[in-house]
Amino acid sequence: MMFTIRGIPTAGIAVGTAFVLQRRASAAATAAAGDPVAEAGRFHAALERAKAELSALAEGEAVFAAHLEMAGDPMLAGLVEGRIAEKHLSAEQALGEACEEVCGMFAALDDDYLRGRTDDVRDVCARIGRILSGETAHDPFAGLAPGTIVVADELAPSDTAQMDFSRVAGLVTAHGSVTSHVAIIARNKGIAALVGVAGCMRQVRTGDRLIIDGERGELIVDPDPATGRKYAARLESLRQDAFRCAADAQAPAVTPAGRRITVLGNAANVDEVRRALDAGAEGIGLFRSEFLYMQGPALPDEETQFAAYRAAAELCGARPLTVRTLDIGGDKALPYMHFEPEENPFLGWRAIRVSLAMPELFRTQLRALLRASAFGNVRVMFPMIASVGEFRAADDPHERRLPSPIEAENPHVLTGAHVLVRYEIQAGVRPQHGHRFRFLSHRRSLFRGRRGLSSQRRARFSGTQSQFNTHRRFT
């Protein structure tokens, strides 16, 4: 008999067959505590193994680069170590308590997106906990039939990473919000989703026929024939609309008043560059190079970076590719680099200041970018400039001693390619030398407790004009 369960309107419409994900119970919470030194050693061994797993996964999915950051954050390790030493807990119990404390910090933020990152924290801790308990990883989604709608209490990135989305029609979870991982992955993959469906785990069984109406926030279980025909017609109409949109995706963006607008995409890897261009982007306005640095156990060498930048540049062709040099620090850490604690790390040793303090790191990245510029319209952005001195230091090619060795290897790099340099200026820094810039990106950081939220205000101007045309861009 047909019935409907309400959820939070999320994305799309789908018709399919339910697969209800049942989790295996874990014995981690009841693990007996041993010697504190031994427990701390067990935790760190599991943590290092989790980092190795995440490093491998980060090569294919940017979300796992963020998980690698979380696993490498000294705050998590410090909380676990403190509980083991002070409360004589097992590594599993200490990890569980530390996870809840970190999730509580995120949940207390007044930003919906960051509150949704509790899913990521729990996923990282679950990975470490699985390794601690000796559980073997398994794939519950192996062998899904085409047109499957996955129903779960919640789905973590490590769950969706195992899914074959050519067989998944939609996702339904009992918990979550429109900014949770499930909602984001559904939009990225172009499938239907419904979150916050309380009771779905009790009322839905594997094999049930389901309809997701992500627009109205409804999950229809065992639809009658008339309802099935109605949604089949809606799906066909949506497919036709998608076909028309795809056909128009490469057309210029022009307002009804006739104003031409350039639409650029943001990307963190070559696959995201490809998807943005396929969707109609006229280039890449921000390529976040830091994700290259998060995908391995050490700094990427010049050849690794060159291969990624070249691939992105060749995809863009004559269209612009703006690569932001390493923006690390603040809320972005590297597991193999140590950052001293700072009262305000978002405005401290980060971004361009890290590059200037580590000239060989900076030189390696710039060499890779200059070499890649021979294969496309590459532009370089220096992040978080806070002073005229930093601008001058970053802008001085003689200080970096780059031309001669690169020109010797490939003369075309410097004679046949033009690299436009852009500058990302911290809020509160007045661009007194604006006449020297063709492009500025003005970033403002907002702070919520121990974490900051960032937004960018971009200003374009030429010559000595004092009036900026600006718009907001969130990162």
Side-chain angles (χ1 to χ4, degrees), residues 91-106:
E92 291 88 343
Q93 292 168 330
L95 176 64
E97 288 193 7
C99 180
E100 290 308 310
E101 181 171 342
V102 176
C103 287
M105 293 177 186
F106 277 92

Side-chain angles (χ1 to χ4, degrees), residues 45 112 128 145 220 231 260 297 302 364 384 401 442:
D112 289 340
I128 301 170
I220 303 172
Y231 276 93
R260 177 75 167 85
E302 182 180 327
T364 297
M384 298 297 285
R401 298 189 301 277
H442 194 206

